[in-house]
Amino acid sequence: MFRLPHGGYCVRNADLAQTLLRSPEYNTGKSGFFNELLPTRHAQVEVGHAVRNFLRAALPRYRAELTRAVTALPEVSRWPAAGDTLVHRCLADPLLHPESPARTGGLTDRAMRGGVVFHAPRAWRRARAEFLRAKLLTALTEDVRQRRERPADEPRDVLDALLAACPPTEVTDRTLTELHLMMYRAIVVPISASLAWSVLLGCLHQPSDAPWPWPADQVVREALRYRPVPWLLGRVVLRTRSNSVASPSGPATSSPSART
């Protein structure tokens, strides 16, 4: 373990990290992932399960779309932008179904290219992205209001899954809109980044035109090991390590927070 500049400790011992991540004692409070968008941990868990279950059901459709999208790629493509386009194209319908208002769908497509979902590197593009983000949130909020007035029988996209998991008495239309945009980015960006790293890793070790000699899942797993998506996870330790988690290499010390 070593002290972080902003406070707390970073845990690099694998066994201690697993204890912090798996023990119910360190998973009782609200997750910082949702910021303050949801009022309770129970609400966070319900939303997470609803989105996860919907995406699992949509996985066969994603695979079919991915095959078609890869086939349609030009002979030469620029990465990681090509990976962003691929993943968004394959997940567009599960994230926001095609029958959504045309304005909302159009703004969502522009958001993908305009730095709202993938952060723009230049300051002037970030300023344009904030303007586009505000327009998208307004359109999505109106869509949420209409969906709450006429709810679907079964979830058609992630937004419907969120609506089913978030009672209107606890989560406002605007908050649910923010939640959907956050989920949109949390779903698309990690998949796209892992895809891009996997392609780069394979190409670096097989520069010729011959097929890769490794199974694709091994390339992806190695890319995730080298560039894991959640590389730093925080947990609050409510008591000293002498009463909760034993230090791997020294005496017990007070630890207000730890990251693995």
Side-chain angles (χ1 to χ4, degrees):
M1 298 176 65
F2 56 89
R3 183 85 182 190
L4 296 171
H6 55 276
Y9 295 85
C10 188
V11 178
R12 58 185 176 188
N13 176 277
D15 293 333
L16 182 55
Q18 291 293 336
T19 299
L20 285 167
L21 292 174
R22 291 178 175 177
S23 173
E25 183 177 1
Y26 309 111
N27 292 272
T28 54
K30 291 195 298 182
S31 169
F33 171 79
F34 292 95
N35 297 320
E36 295 299 323
L37 293 175
L38 294 170
T40 63
R41 177 174 177 80
H42 175 74
Q44 293 180 340
V45 172
E46 289 295 309
V47 163
H49 287 176
V51 173
R52 180 195 63 189
N53 294 339
F54 175 81
L55 290 175
R56 280 180 174 173
L59 189 57
R61 184 173 22 160
Y62 169 76
R63 285 173 173 159
E65 289 295 330
L66 183 60
T67 301
R68 286 192 285 268
V70 170
T71 304
L73 273 178
E75 184 176 350
V76 177
S77 56
R78 187 177 184 86
W79 286 75
D84 301 344
T85 302
L86 277 175
V87 173
H88 177 243
R89 187 176 298 164
C90 301
L91 286 173
D93 289 354
L95 289 168
L96 196 67
H97 73 96
E99 298 177 7
S100 299
R103 180 169 180 264
T104 306
L107 284 170
T108 302
D109 291 340
R110 288 176 57 194
M112 288 295 303
R113 301 187 299 270
V116 177
V117 177
F118 296 93
H119 289 318
R122 299 183 182 277
W124 66 272
R125 288 189 175 179
R126 290 198 296 269
R128 288 178 56 185
E130 284 302 310
F131 176 73
L132 180 56
R133 182 179 185 275
K135 294 179 65 175
L136 176 59
L137 288 174
T138 300
L140 277 172
T141 302
E142 178 59 23
D143 193 6
V144 168
R145 185 188 65 79
Q146 294 178 7
R147 293 192 191 201
R148 275 181 162 164
E149 292 176 353
R150 296 182 296 275
D153 295 331
E154 294 290 336
R156 300 159 296 178
D157 54 19
V158 168
L159 185 54
D160 278 346
L162 290 172
L163 281 164
C166 296
T169 55
E170 297 181 9
V171 181
T172 65
D173 294 352
R174 180 70 177 199
T175 299
L176 198 142
T177 299
E178 295 269 6
L179 189 62
H180 179 261
L181 187 57
M182 185 190 75
M183 282 290 183
Y184 205 109
R185 187 176 190 279
I187 293 166
V188 174
V189 174
I191 298 176
S192 175
S194 297
L195 174 61
W197 278 113
S198 300
V199 171
L200 175 63
L201 180 66
C203 291
L204 287 175
H205 292 274
Q206 183 71 2
S208 68
D209 293 335
W212 286 352
W214 323 279
D217 68 307
Q218 292 184 10
V219 179
V220 173
R221 288 176 183 274
E222 177 61 12
L224 287 170
R225 185 195 69 81
Y226 182 62
R227 282 287 187 269
V229 176
W231 63 276
L232 190 66
L233 302 173
R235 291 292 185 268
V236 175
V237 180
L238 302 178
R239 301 194 303 272
T240 61
R241 288 202 305 272
S242 59
N243 295 328
S244 54
V245 181
S247 171
S249 60
T253 308
S254 177
S255 176
S257 64
R259 287 173 172 80
T260 59

